[in-house]
Amino acid sequence: MAGENPFKSILKTLEKPGGGQFGKYYSLPALDDPRIDKLPYSIRILLESAIRNCDEFEVKSKDVEKIIDWENTSPKQVEIPFKPARVLLQDFTGVPAVVDLACMRDAMNRLGGDSNKINPLVPVDLVIDHSVQVDVARSENAVQANMEFEFQRNKERFGFLKWGSNAFHNMLVVPPGSGIVHQVNLEYLGRVVFNTDGMLYPDSVVGTDSHTTMIDGLGVAGWGVGGIEAEAAMLGQPMSMVLPGVVGFKLLGRLRDGVTATDLVLTVTQMLRKHGVVGKFVEFYGEGMSELSLADRATIANMSPEYGATMGFFPVDHVTLQYLKLTGRSDDTIAMIESYLRANNMFVDYTKPQVERVYSSFLELNLEDVEPCISGPKRPHDRVPLREMKADWLACLDNRVGFKGFAVPKESQNKAVDFTFHGTPAQLRHGDVVIAAITSCTNTSNPSVMLGAALVAKKACELGLEVKPWVKTSLAPGSGVVTKYFQRSGLQKYLNQLGFHIVGYGCTTCIGNSGDLDEAVASAITENDIVAAAVLSGNRNFEGRVHPLTRANYLASPPLVVAYALAGTVNIDFETEPIGLGKDGKKIFFRDIWPSNEEVANVVQSSVLPDMFRATYEAITKGNPMWNQLSVPSGTLYSWDPTSTYIHEPPYFKEMSMSPPGLHGVKNAYCLLNFGDSITTDHISPAGSIHKDSPAARYLLERGVDRRDFNSYGSRRGNDEVMARGTFANIRLVNKLLKGEVGPKTIHIPTGEKLSVFDAAMRYKSEGYETVILAGAEYGSGSSRDWAAKGPMLLGVKAVIAKSFERIHRSNLVGMGIIPLCFKPGEDAETLGLTGHERYSIDLPSSVNEIRPGQDLAVVTDNGKSFTCTLRFDTEVELAYFDHGGILQYVIRNLINSHH
């Protein structure tokens, strides 16, 4: 069991410059090891955590040595434990996390343990960044209307979270309407350095949204994990991770006039995707850093999941300290942060000569080479320079169906469809923009691109340009601060004039919550098979995610979103074709409405002030009237309401006893689904609207829920019955068993019947059969969605055999007791001649001592074919979770055993 810390001799006191002390800290320089000076800054954070938490049980001195020797150990895929300083949840993942905590208390109670022992051991920040339905776009009171709508629909969810904030210690709940989770984290929650009971240590965070990485722009090590991993971290379990390689990314020069942070991030995303950084850290350095504002850094850090890195890290320097001051952090706090980081060799001082650090590989970018661009039409790393956009679009119409193709026959590429919009005649063509959204994820922390968009709107309005009334325009800042600086600059009115009213401060169009398109537009698209476009300033544009009716989705900077809304089409060459006709029928070009960097900088300088941040975040402690009026039950055990369609007690612990179930292989399983490459968590567990013909819709209708009140899958994550039915319910699902037909169906192999995936899975279960899934490369990429693992487990899936897995999703599968297996390099279902009509058996040793992480296993089918796979339990800890039937069961048994 745990012993005392072997590193207590390097515990030092940090003195205040004017007398007194800040507290104690574990000093890296006191180790007097020359290898530490060459370590990347991001690795030093892992090192400090391992030293501080070393107890020779969960964290051992040999783990500390592995990290110090990073240069030699990182190429070898060694495992280390990591204990983050805090955990960040947003409401969609916060609800299931609180449901699981409440359930664990019940299970603890039933098994005779003390249920009050179930509390987060690590501080948890839970931000309710409710996803807005942008159905009242283009109106002055959009925010208020959306908030009321949101509270009316999500009262149960919000009430449940409010109960949790009282029932559990160590949990801060940020009420709805405050901003999007990453932004609130950056402007308010990020500590940079913690001082807990006189112990100083760097802030680090794991969050249940893959874009938690935005905080890396602030020098706080943070990344996304699955909800299941986050729950384990909350409960004090060390996270097991492969000690990552670190790519050094050197920045030189400065951005040219008219080039935005978004152009930079799309360029960086494409470079890093090409370089290959999955599972690695990226650390930025070089003289270009001092030219990069903190908001620009946060924009690049935010996109880590899109380039595949665990994080894109910007060490703390003078720019970070300026931002802390700007966002209203106190002078004392900033002094403590700077003193600690300097004392522990974690601060970058560009005025001093830099010690060459060691990196696993290097990239370099001169900021002057970045040019305006957008990405699409279906993936974030498919960057298109703006000057090539028209040619690229026409090629996409021609190309066969794929990431860059729609296969529209030549003769119908120019067709114009006539329709009537509220009494006026209108036309729609391929490439016409029907959604233009400045969304809250990536850029709306960034005053330069936000005020840049407002300046584009101002120039356009003054020249007499308009946005066509059927384009669904919306503006969803990530923070209430944006509203304040828009008002101060006097520019909001121009955005309003073009239809970009503020609709709320949470996830909107980027996650499919734009609300419906006008019926006339929707039928013009569907009846004529038009490839309509959405342009948004988000970070994801996978098929079917933004809106079912926009088949082309482009990511662009906020000012470009406004420009494309005005142009009304993506089929335009901004250099040679006019955006539209202004007053007196004069042709207006892109260059006429585009602001210079200097114009933008002047507005930012005069409009963005520290008081705005302080005032915005006061609301967090005071709440808002709607939140404060929610009445919630007291009591530490939750009283489940059997009639609730939002909060339901899941069956995870129903059969649980004190002894672990042990390892189990797979016997004669049927293949539930047979997939190709790039199956995302959106395919596995969609977050968007609940389709009217789906099993989830059937369940809700049977319980008297009106179709209008279905809400989204995301908002019903507290109900396992809805979520199990929503598993593999994506309308764009491509399952090879269906021979080319697209949709959330599969074949029930014994009868050959075509059923919804849920119905087929339930039939297999009732007949006593297990199931497996076959897949290609990058299975489970996209958002870190715990339901993408919980859902398949409830459907009876016992194993997933894929070419490769996305990092977070693989660990989530393990946490839910599903076996992840990888085909051998060069092999997959196709090369092995598997159709998915076979039965599959996987033999696992019966004892956890006879199995090791990453070993080879044989998969045997009933038609005589057998093949070897790699078992993707990557650590001893993961084997223990599987032995216990899952991570939560492991934690409960450990808590009970440690108290007896």
Side-chain angles (χ1 to χ4, degrees):
M1 289 300 283
E4 70 167 3
N5 193 321
F7 292 96
K8 60 176 192 295
S9 65
I10 61 164
L11 199 54
K12 301 282 182 223
T13 300
L14 185 67
E15 308 290 345
K16 286 188 177 174
Q21 45 181 254
F22 287 115
K24 291 201 169 343
Y25 70 106
Y26 283 92
S27 165
L28 301 186
L31 281 171
D32 200 20
D33 191 319
R35 293 173 296 179
I36 295 177
D37 291 335
K38 293 164 77 180
L39 287 180
Y41 287 98
S42 47
I43 298 298
R44 295 178 199 184
I45 292 177
L46 301 182
L47 174 61
E48 189 283 338
S49 170
I51 289 172
R52 181 167 36 88
N53 290 298
C54 189
D55 60 358
E56 298 299 7
F57 175 57
E58 288 181 336
V59 182
K60 303 184 166 80
S61 355
K62 66 168 201 259
D63 297 315
V64 172
E65 172 54 31
K66 280 181 196 168
I67 303 173
I68 293 176
D69 200 32
W70 172 85
E71 189 178 348
N72 300 311
T73 52
S74 66
K76 299 180 184 147
Q77 293 286 296
V78 302
E79 283 293 326
I80 58 154
F82 175 57
K83 289 193 165 190
R86 64 190 169 100
V87 172
L88 181 68
L89 306 172
Q90 78 323 14
D91 56 340
F92 274 10
T93 39
V95 169
V98 179
V99 163
D100 289 353
L101 282 172
C103 262
M104 287 171 77
R105 278 197 173 169
D106 292 345
M108 227 14 198
N109 223 17
R110 196 165 44 81
L111 294 167
D114 173 3
S115 64
N116 286 329
K117 292 276 190 293
I118 301 274
N119 268 312
L121 286 177
V122 167
V124 174
D125 298 324
L126 197 161
V127 180
I128 304 182
D129 57 355
H130 59 291
S131 295
V132 182
Q133 300 291 320
V134 192
D135 269 337
V136 280
R138 294 204 166 190
S139 76
E140 290 287 356
N141 58 356
V143 179
Q144 188 57 22
N146 270 327
M147 278 282 284
E148 285 168 12
F149 186 45
E150 203 62 38
F151 261 87
Q152 170 202 327
R153 287 176 97 165
N154 298 304
K155 216 180 191 140
E156 284 183 63
R157 233 172 75 223
F158 294 168
F160 177 66
L161 291 175
K162 197 172 168 183
W163 166 80
S165 70
N166 300 328
F168 297 103
H169 310 303
N170 234 357
M171 187 185 277
L172 167 75
V173 175
V174 177
S178 309
I180 195 169
V181 58
H182 326 300
Q183 195 55 42
V184 174
N185 195 19
L186 198 67
E187 294 175 355
Y188 179 75
L189 297 170
R191 318 313 197 256
V192 188
V193 172
F194 264 88
N195 185 347
T196 305
D197 304 327
M199 175 66 78
L200 301 168
Y201 52 95
D203 185 4
S204 57
V205 59
V206 294
T208 49
D209 185 293
S210 47
H211 294 107
T212 299
T213 52
M214 192 168 194
I215 199 68
D216 303 328
L218 195 68
V220 172
W223 58 85
V225 294
I228 298 151
E229 266 184 301
E231 288 176 30
M234 268 160 53
L235 295 162
Q237 289 299 302
M239 286 174 46
S240 182
M241 61 185 279
V242 172
L243 183 61
V246 182
V247 178
F249 199 124
K250 188 173 192 177
L251 296 172
L252 307 162
R254 60 186 307 172
L255 293 174
R256 287 179 309 178
D257 207 33
V259 176
T260 65
T262 318
D263 303 322
L264 169 60
V265 73
L266 295 176
T267 306
V268 167
T269 298
Q270 188 183 37
M271 284 174 72
L272 286 168
R273 261 287 167 207
K274 196 171 157 206
H275 187 75
V277 292
V278 172
K280 297 190 175 105
F281 289 174
V282 176
E283 185 165 297
F284 293 88
Y285 70 105
E287 50 269 39
M289 286 284 279
S290 50
E291 294 291 336
L292 217 52
S293 75
L294 198 116
D296 289 0
R297 297 174 182 195
T299 305
I300 295 171
N302 177 295
M303 288 286 272
S304 298
E306 282 67 43
Y307 41 84
T310 303
M311 64 177 181
F313 187 73
F314 292 82
V316 175
D317 60 16
H318 66 285
V319 176
T320 324
L321 299 178
Q322 282 162 3
Y323 180 81
L324 291 170
K325 204 170 172 58
L326 170 70
T327 48
R329 269 80 162 198
S330 76
D331 290 345
D332 291 353
T333 304
I334 298 170
M336 182 265 293
I337 290 170
E338 184 175 1
S339 303
Y340 169 78
L341 293 173
R342 281 187 185 274
N344 227 359
N345 284 358
M346 292 177 172
F347 186 85
V348 184
D349 189 336
Y350 291 106
T351 62
K352 301 205 169 119
Q354 300 295 302
V355 177
E356 272 302 307
R357 285 175 300 288
V358 177
Y359 290 111
S360 316
S361 62
F362 293 86
L363 277 172
E364 190 174 291
L365 173 65
N366 190 329
L367 298 176
E368 281 161 28
D369 297 340
V370 177
E371 61 174 319
C373 55
I374 65 178
S375 274
K378 302 179 191 188
R379 291 192 304 188
H381 51 282
D382 291 336
R383 186 180 71 92
V384 188
L386 212 52
R387 57 188 164 80
E388 292 169 20
M389 182 55 196
K390 189 180 177 87
D392 194 85
W393 169 254
L394 296 173
C396 285
L397 288 180
D398 282 333
N399 295 349
R400 62 194 182 86
V401 174
F403 293 124
K404 293 290 285 182
F406 297 104
V408 175
K410 267 270 186 268
E411 62 278 8
S412 59
Q413 287 182 7
N414 292 321
K415 74 173 171 194
V417 173
D418 292 309
F419 70 104
T420 308
F421 183 81
H422 296 242
T424 19
Q427 266 194 347
L428 208 56
R429 299 168 185 269
H430 293 303
D432 276 5
V433 174
V434 294
I435 290 177
I438 299 176
T439 59
S440 56
C441 340
T442 324
N443 305 282
T444 52
S445 62
N446 196 329
S448 61
V449 289
M450 294 302 280
L451 289 164
L455 286 171
V456 169
K458 176 178 192 268
K459 290 172 187 280
C461 291
E462 287 168 350
L463 291 167
L465 289 178
E466 289 176 357
V467 174
K468 296 191 176 73
W470 58 83
V471 180
K472 187 152 204 177
T473 44
S474 61
L475 166 61
S479 153
V481 176
V482 179
T483 305
K484 293 187 169 65
Y485 63 66
F486 271 163
Q487 281 163 348
R488 189 179 167 91
S489 66
L491 294 173
Q492 179 70 52
K493 61 172 188 270
Y494 300 108
L495 285 162
N496 290 354
Q497 201 177 318
L498 297 182
F500 288 94
H501 294 277
I502 291 185
V503 295
Y505 302 96
C507 293
T508 56
T509 307
C510 195
I511 200 173
N513 280 341
S514 64
D516 296 332
L517 292 178
D518 185 275
E519 273 173 39
V521 180
S523 28
I525 294 171
T526 46
E527 286 163 23
N528 302 283
D529 210 15
I530 289 287
V531 183
V535 182
L536 61 153
S537 66
N539 38 26
R540 296 235 165 102
N541 53 344
F542 304 131
E543 263 189 301
R545 177 181 172 108
V546 173
H547 195 283
L549 298 181
T550 57
R551 277 158 61 197
N553 301 287
Y554 286 93
L555 305 181
S557 65
L560 273 177
V561 171
V562 178
Y564 273 109
L566 291 161
T569 179
V570 297
N571 183 12
I572 181 173
D573 178 348
F574 279 145
E575 293 199 6
T576 58
E577 297 176 71
I579 274 191
L581 300 177
K583 295 175 183 147
D584 322 321
K586 188 170 168 261
K587 286 182 177 173
I588 309 291
F589 287 86
F590 180 78
R591 54 183 170 271
D592 302 327
I593 60 170
W594 201 256
S596 71
N597 287 11
E598 194 184 355
E599 280 177 86
V600 175
N602 289 340
V603 178
V604 171
Q605 201 62 46
S606 58
S607 309
V608 185
L609 306 167
D611 285 354
M612 297 177 175
F613 292 90
R614 285 196 200 99
T616 300
Y617 287 109
E618 263 175 16
I620 287 179
T621 41
K622 293 185 182 155
N624 57 51
M626 286 188 250
W627 175 256
N628 295 341
Q629 280 159 22
L630 280 178
S631 64
V632 297
S634 56
T636 57
L637 290 174
Y638 189 69
S639 39
W640 303 95
D641 171 6
T643 62
S644 170
T645 56
Y646 277 100
I647 310 292
H648 182 263
E649 183 179 12
Y652 312 139
F653 310 117
K654 287 274 189 283
E655 312 290 303
M656 185 179 160
S657 64
M658 271 311 291
S659 50
L663 301 182
H664 51 88
V666 174
K667 258 210 158 17
N668 266 334
Y670 282 103
C671 172
L672 181 63
L673 294 147
N674 181 1
F675 290 131
D677 295 345
S678 292
I679 290 293
T680 69
T681 49
D682 271 316
H683 289 116
I684 306 168
S685 183
S689 53
I690 296 172
H691 196 271
K692 61 179 194 313
D693 304 324
S694 64
R698 212 163 59 216
Y699 169 88
L700 291 170
L701 290 169
E702 281 163 9
R703 275 151 193 78
V705 177
D706 194 301
R707 214 191 125 197
R708 279 202 316 268
D709 299 324
F710 277 3
N711 213 335
S712 63
Y713 283 114
S715 66
R716 291 190 182 272
R717 282 186 192 172
N719 187 330
D720 56 289
E721 296 276 9
V722 173
M723 298 310 289
R725 286 165 174 76
T727 304
F728 300 113
N730 189 310
I731 53 166
R732 310 294 300 169
L733 203 66
V734 178
N735 168 17
K736 293 180 188 173
L737 294 175
L738 288 182
K739 306 256 187 289
E741 187 190 330
V742 176
K745 298 248 191 296
T746 195
I747 300 297
H748 178 252
I749 309 276
T751 61
E753 269 183 82
K754 187 167 78 174
L755 300 170
S756 76
V757 180
F758 176 78
D759 292 340
M762 289 308 106
R763 190 176 295 184
Y764 284 130
K765 252 185 145 168
S766 68
E767 294 160 346
Y769 297 125
E770 299 183 318
T771 54
V772 299
I773 285 170
L774 297 180
E778 291 179 0
Y779 182 77
S781 56
S783 309
S784 46
R785 206 160 282 169
D786 57 337
W787 272 107
K790 287 176 172 173
M793 183 274 288
L794 292 173
L795 295 186
V797 172
K798 299 299 181 200
V800 178
I801 311 171
K803 277 170 79 169
S804 62
F805 289 92
E806 201 276 341
R807 173 182 66 87
I808 300 173
H809 186 61
R810 185 203 60 78
S811 72
N812 276 347
L813 289 173
V814 175
M816 290 316 293
I818 294 174
I819 308 170
L821 293 166
C822 275
F823 290 110
K824 286 291 173 193
E827 293 187 349
D828 60 16
E830 301 274 308
T831 65
L832 294 165
L834 304 169
T835 62
H837 286 258
E838 309 81 2
R839 309 279 295 273
Y840 293 81
S841 294
I842 302 157
D843 201 17
L844 274 188
S846 55
S847 149
V848 88
N849 305 324
E850 297 166 38
I851 190 170
R852 56 179 200 283
Q855 77 176 50
D856 283 355
L857 279 188
V859 180
V860 182
T861 65
D862 61 339
N863 63 3
K865 279 199 177 99
S866 78
F867 51 98
T868 305
C869 285
T870 308
L871 176 66
R872 287 297 309 278
F873 293 142
D874 290 359
T875 65
E876 304 293 338
V877 177
E878 290 189 343
L879 280 171
Y881 293 158
F882 187 70
D883 188 48
H884 277 262
I887 201 164
L888 301 177
Q889 291 84 343
Y890 171 86
V891 170
I892 291 174
R893 291 189 186 102
N894 268 4
L895 278 172
I896 292 179
N897 287 329
S898 66
H899 295 309
H900 282 326

